[in-house]
C-alpha cells in the first residue's frame, strides 16, 4: 500500500495516487470523504503485478478520511498520515492531509 502526493502549482489541487497490493483480490476501491464513501467512484484498476491503483485530484489544504475496500473488506493504509476513530464504523479510518 502506498500514498503518493503530487501538488499542482497552477491549481488548488493535489494529485493523490492510492495503491494497494492485493494479488488475490478480484476488486478494490478507495472510499472516503472525497467521494462520499462510494466504491464505484473510487474503483481502482488492477495492474499485472497484482497492485490496484488510481490517481485522484483532491482539493489542497484539506483533511480526508478514507479506507480501501478489497473484496468487500475494509482495510486501512499503513502509510496514512494518521488515523481517526469512527463511531459509525466502530473502527479507525486512515487520514490523508493534503
Amino acid at each position: 500500500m502506498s500514498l503518493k502526493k503530487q501538488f499542482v502549482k497552477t491549481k488548488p489541487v493535489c494529485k493523490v495516487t492510492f495503491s494497494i497490493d492485493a494479488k488475490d483480490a478480484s476488486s478494490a476501491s478507495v472510499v472516503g470523504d472525497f467521494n462520499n464513501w462510494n466504491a464505484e467512484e473510487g474503483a481502482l484498476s488492477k495492474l499485472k503485478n497484482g497492485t490496484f491503483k488510481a490517481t485522484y485530484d483532491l482539493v489542497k489544504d484539506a483533511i480526508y478520511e478514507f479506507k480501501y475496500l478489497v473484496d468487500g473488506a475494509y482495510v486501512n493504509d499503513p502509510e496514512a498520515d494518521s488515523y481517526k476513530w469512527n463511531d459509525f464504523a466502530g473502527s479507525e479510518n486512515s487520514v490523508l492531509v493534503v
Side-chain angles (χ1 to χ4, degrees):
M1 288 182 253
S2 75
L3 289 171
K4 181 181 174 190
K5 301 174 192 175
Q6 182 180 4
F7 291 92
V8 180
K9 291 180 182 178
T10 58
K11 297 179 185 175
V13 298
C14 178
K15 291 186 177 292
V16 180
T17 301
F18 296 90
S19 62
I20 182 168
D21 184 20
K23 290 178 179 56
D24 298 328
S26 59
S27 68
S29 299
V30 61
V31 294
D33 295 341
F34 50 86
N35 65 7
N36 294 315
W37 299 88
N38 185 320
E40 289 180 16
E41 287 184 28
L44 303 176
S45 300
K46 190 170 187 177
L47 307 178
K48 290 181 182 179
N49 65 2
T51 298
F52 285 85
K53 187 176 187 178
T55 302
Y56 296 93
D57 288 351
L58 302 182
V59 176
K60 287 195 309 190
D61 302 322
I63 298 172
Y64 301 98
E65 291 185 37
F66 75 97
K67 282 192 176 210
Y68 293 104
L69 184 60
V70 181
D71 285 347
Y74 288 99
V75 180
N76 275 323
D77 192 319
E79 295 183 18
D81 296 320
S82 64
Y83 301 94
K84 183 176 180 185
W85 181 259
N86 179 325
D87 284 331
F88 179 75
S91 64
E92 288 184 323
N93 289 336
S94 300
V95 175
L96 172 67
V97 179
V98 292

